[in-house]
Amino acid sequence: MNMVSKVLVVGAGIGQVPLCRLVKQRGLFLIIVTIPGNYPCIALADKVYYIDIYDREEIVRVAREEHIDAVISDQNDLMMPTVAYVAERLGLPGNTFAQVNSYCNKNIFRENCDKLLIPSPKHCKVHQREIPAGFTNIPFPWVVKPEDSQSSIGVAKVDNEDEYFEALTFALLKSKNKTAIVEEFFEGREVVVEGFIYNGDYYNLGIADRKYFKLDRMFIPSQTIFPSVISVELKNRLIGYEQAYTGYVHPDFAIVHSEYLINERTGEIRVVESALRGGGVYISSHLVPLSTGIGINDTLIDCALGKEIDIQVLLSRNVRKAAAYICFYLPEGIVRSISGLEKIKGLPYVYQCDVSVEVGDAVKEMTYKGQRLGPVIVSGESRMDIEEKICTIQEILEIKVQSEKGELLGIVWD
C-alpha cells in the first residue's frame, strides 16, 4: 500500500495559499504550523499545529512525530530560516540554516556581496541609537531598515539626523534580532530577478521592471511587469551577480528572488536584497508561470520530496510571454462608490483580482505595503500588449472616497 507523503508548510498567510493549494491538488497530506489567527491556509490543511514560527525546536518535535516527508514555504522571508532549520535537523532535502540566513539576513547578505564584488550600497550594521562611524561622511539621504524584516516594514528613507533616529528606533523595534542596517541612498529604477537554484547552480527564469508609488520616505511597489525592458547587457550582468552569489553559498535547491537598482544614465547597479523564496504578491506562483509557462512551485515541491528533476527540460518550456501585477491605494476617507470591478474580473486576460473594498468602508492612510489594494494579475503576449491592458484596467475601475473635508477623491495608481 502506498503511503501519502506528508508536506509541512511553515506559515499560513496569503503568500502560502498557492503553494498549499498545489500540495492538495497533488494528493499530498498538508500539515501547517502557524500562530493562531484568521489565516487563509488553515482551511486548506489536513492538520494544523498552532506554534510560533520562531519556536523551531517545537516545530522539529512535531515534524518528527508526524514523520513528514518534506518541509517548504514560499513568498515570505520570515518562514525560510525555520524551513531550513527543520530540514537540516531531520535530514530532509533542503538548505542549511546558514545558507538561508546568508540571503535573508540583510547584514550578512551585504557582507557577502562585498566579498564577491557584487555592487551594493555603502552600509553599516546598527544595534543602538547611534550614527555609525562609517556614515559620518556620507551625505543624506540614507535608507534605514531592520536586518530581518519583510514587506517593507520598518524601511524608510531619511533626509536628516532627526528622521534617521526616528526611523532607526522603529527599525530596531521591528527586528527580531534587534539589529538594523543603514545604507546610502542610490537613485535608480528597480528590477526583480527571478531564478531557480538546483544542485548549487543558478538558472534565470525572468527579469521584471518594478514601479513604486510616489510616497514620502516609503518604498511600496505599485506594479511588477515581466519582461523587463532593460538592455541585454544589463540583464547579463544581473544574471552574473546571481550566479556568483549562488556559487558562493551553494544552496541545494530553491526559488530565488532578488531586487536590484539600476542607474541607466551611468550604468551603475546596486543590489537591494535577495531571498531563497519566490517573490511576493504571487510572483513565483502566478507571474513566473504566466510569463514562462514554467510551474516553478511544482518543481519546488518535487525537490523537497527528494525527486530528481531535469533542469534543462524544465527551462526548455519557457514560452517568453508577459505578466504583471498591479496594485493601488485609496486616499484616507470613506468609500462612496465603486464601478467597473465586476467588468475587470470578467476580462479574459485578468487572471486574478484581489480587490476587497465595499461602499462605506473607512480607508486609513497607507503606511506599509500590506495595506495596498490588489493585486490585479494580468497576462499578455508581449510587454507592449500588457502595458495596454494595464491602461484599460485603470480606465475601467473607478472608486470614489470622500475625505474629511468632503472632497471626492479617486484611486491612486502611482
Side-chain angles (χ1 to χ4, degrees):
M1 180 178 176
N2 292 328
M3 298 295 290
V4 175
S5 294
K6 291 183 175 182
V7 177
L8 176 66
V9 174
V10 179
I14 193 71
Q16 278 70 250
V17 168
L19 189 64
C20 288
R21 285 178 175 161
L22 189 56
V23 168
K24 293 300 297 175
Q25 287 168 12
R26 291 177 56 148
L28 305 172
F29 191 90
L30 175 62
I31 303 171
I32 286 175
V33 292
T34 177
I35 58 173
N38 187 26
Y39 296 106
C41 292
I42 291 173
L44 301 172
D46 295 293
K47 189 176 284 190
V48 180
Y49 287 90
Y50 292 102
I51 309 170
D52 191 302
I53 64 164
Y54 296 105
D55 190 354
R56 293 173 181 137
E57 293 301 334
E58 179 63 11
I59 295 174
V60 167
R61 185 194 68 76
V62 165
R64 281 205 177 104
E65 187 178 273
E66 287 287 352
H67 302 287
I68 67 167
D69 299 285
V71 54
I72 51 176
S73 192
D74 191 29
Q75 300 188 32
N76 192 307
D77 282 348
L78 304 183
M79 314 302 174
M80 304 318 296
T82 298
V83 169
Y85 190 85
V86 174
E88 197 171 10
R89 290 288 300 276
L90 270 64
L92 294 171
N95 302 305
T96 68
F97 185 81
Q99 285 171 328
V100 170
N101 231 24
S102 71
Y103 279 82
C104 67
N105 183 294
K106 293 175 176 61
N107 278 304
I108 296 173
F109 178 71
R110 286 277 181 264
E111 290 162 6
N112 287 341
C113 286
D114 291 345
K115 293 175 190 175
L116 298 168
L117 302 181
I118 297 172
S120 62
K122 293 176 184 176
H123 56 92
C124 276
K125 182 187 293 188
V126 187
H127 296 285
Q128 56 191 2
R129 280 178 55 86
E130 63 178 5
I131 294 178
F135 261 65
T136 54
N137 295 320
I138 295 177
F140 288 100
W142 302 341
V143 176
V144 181
K145 59 182 79 170
E147 75 164 13
D148 53 350
S149 71
Q150 62 156 10
S151 299
S152 298
I153 295 173
V155 180
K157 175 185 171 185
V158 298
D159 294 313
N160 54 57
E161 284 192 17
D162 289 341
E163 290 181 1
Y164 165 73
F165 283 115
E166 179 186 346
L168 178 62
T169 299
F170 190 63
L172 291 171
L173 180 67
K174 292 299 179 181
S175 169
K176 189 76 173 177
N177 300 333
K178 303 304 176 189
T179 305
I181 183 170
V182 55
E183 302 176 345
E184 67 172 342
F185 178 75
F186 180 81
E187 189 75 48
R189 67 181 296 171
E190 183 172 312
V191 297
V192 299
V193 184
E194 307 301 318
F196 194 78
I197 298 168
Y198 187 62
N199 290 338
D201 292 323
Y202 175 84
Y203 302 92
N204 182 253
L205 296 170
I207 299 175
D209 293 321
R210 176 164 282 175
K211 299 180 182 180
Y212 277 79
F213 294 112
K214 298 179 179 69
L215 295 168
D216 183 40
R217 298 179 60 190
M218 290 188 294
F219 303 94
I220 300 181
S222 59
Q223 299 179 16
T224 296
I225 309 174
F226 289 85
S228 171
V229 295
I230 62 171
S231 69
V232 172
E233 187 270 335
L234 284 171
K235 289 178 181 178
N236 289 336
R237 285 168 62 186
L238 296 176
I239 292 170
Y241 296 142
E242 293 293 290
Q243 291 170 334
Y245 202 88
T246 300
Y248 180 74
V249 179
H250 210 266
D252 187 20
F253 66 88
I255 304 173
V256 57
H257 164 83
S258 301
E259 300 168 359
Y260 290 84
L261 290 170
I262 299 173
N263 186 315
E264 292 182 289
R265 182 179 57 82
T266 65
E268 292 180 281
I269 295 173
R270 297 290 186 274
V271 64
V272 178
E273 62 183 26
S274 189
L276 288 182
R277 47 89 175 166
V281 199
Y282 306 120
I283 289 177
S284 57
S285 57
H286 292 47
L287 299 192
V288 169
L290 287 171
S291 60
T292 67
I294 299 170
I296 203 62
N297 276 356
D298 258 318
T299 305
L300 178 68
I301 294 171
D302 285 341
C303 289
L305 289 169
K307 297 181 180 180
E308 292 290 323
I309 65 168
D310 189 326
I311 193 70
Q312 296 304 329
V313 169
L314 182 73
L315 296 174
S316 69
R317 299 172 186 161
N318 196 330
V319 296
R320 302 186 187 282
K321 292 191 176 183
Y325 77 65
I326 56 174
C327 295
F328 62 91
Y329 71 94
L330 298 173
E332 196 168 7
I334 305 297
V335 177
R336 294 304 184 197
S337 66
I338 303 170
S339 64
L341 185 55
E342 292 307 312
K343 184 175 180 180
I344 284 174
K345 291 178 179 179
L347 294 172
Y349 51 81
V350 171
Y351 189 84
Q352 187 166 316
C353 182
D354 292 348
V355 179
S356 54
V357 62
E358 296 181 0
V359 172
D361 284 352
V363 180
K364 295 182 180 180
E365 179 185 6
M366 185 170 67
T367 57
Y368 66 97
K369 67 184 180 183
Q371 294 173 305
R372 293 172 296 181
L373 289 169
V376 181
I377 296 175
V378 189
S379 62
E381 294 299 315
S382 66
R383 178 60 185 255
M384 182 180 295
D385 178 44
I386 208 158
E387 292 274 12
E388 291 174 354
K389 288 172 176 174
I390 290 171
C391 288
T392 299
I393 289 167
Q394 292 175 338
E395 289 169 0
I396 292 172
L397 183 60
E398 187 175 86
I399 301 175
K400 292 297 182 182
V401 174
Q402 187 173 24
S403 70
E404 281 188 356
K405 296 180 180 179
E407 301 171 294
L408 281 178
L409 306 172
I411 293 171
V412 182
W413 293 103
D414 54 26

